[in-house]
Each structure stands twice: as C-alpha cells, then as structure tokens.
Amino acid sequence: DRAHASDVVNNVIVLIVMSVTGLFVGWRICGSFGDAALGCLILLIFAYAISWVMAWVGLLVPSVEVFNQAFLVVIFPLTVLVGYSLDGDAAFVDGGVATLAEQDQLASKSLM
C-alpha cells in the first residue's frame, strides 16, 4: 500500500537527516556497523508504530486543534525527560551536543 510505503520512506529520510546532523555536531557511533544498523531498524519500527498510534488518536479526537494539544501533552514531557537524561560525562555528549545541552536551561541543571 502506498500510504504505508510513504510513511516508511519519510521516516528513512528523517533518520538519514538526523544522523548526518548528529554526526555534524559531534555524535559518533560507539559500536559496530551491525549495532548501528540494528539501532536504525529499531528506530524505524518505533517511528512506524508511533505513526499508527497518532493516526488512532486522530480518529478519536473531534478536531485538528484537539489532536495538536493531545500530541503536545505526550511529546513535551518526553523532550524534557530526554534533556534531563543527558549526562555531561557520557561519551556520546561531546562537541556541539554538549554545547547545545549546556545552553538548555533545564538540561544544564541536570549536567551539574
């Protein structure tokens, strides 16, 4: 089905752009190529599952505005938690990523 294929293609493009951007700001793969490929596969499966969950939520709510609010209620706390989970001494937080994390007021509190 074309709709399913377009979701997967979109997620692959997003993953490529995010990976290249991450490499640009200092993120590095610490394992083997197989580990990286498996990680990408898990991310793609997760993204595909989330697209179905969001489609289901979209069917449950009466309007686009309500969907946007429901989406923000879920996503915003997750982004804050990710910021707090950054550890300044971790090997994956170096270069530009560490600089960005230090500029984030919430994440910088967790780096102390």
Side-chain angles (χ1 to χ4, degrees), residues 63-101:
S63 68
V64 174
E65 291 80 12
V66 174
F67 174 80
N68 286 335
Q69 291 301 317
F71 181 73
L72 286 176
V73 166
V74 173
I75 295 300
F76 182 72
L78 290 176
T79 58
V80 171
L81 289 174
V82 167
Y84 274 117
S85 69
L86 289 176
D87 182 6
D89 296 328
F92 65 89
V93 181
D94 63 349
V97 176
T99 303
L100 290 174

Side-chain angles (χ1 to χ4, degrees), residues 1 6 14 21 23 28 31 33 37 44 54 60 64-65 68 73 75 78 80-82 97 103-105 107 110-111:
D1 183 84
S6 66
V14 168
T21 303
L23 289 170
R28 298 294 178 257
F33 176 77
L44 290 173
M54 287 296 134
L60 294 177
V64 174
E65 291 80 12
N68 286 335
V73 166
I75 295 300
L78 290 176
V80 171
L81 289 174
V82 167
V97 176
Q103 298 303 315
D104 181 0
Q105 296 297 319
S110 69
L111 293 174

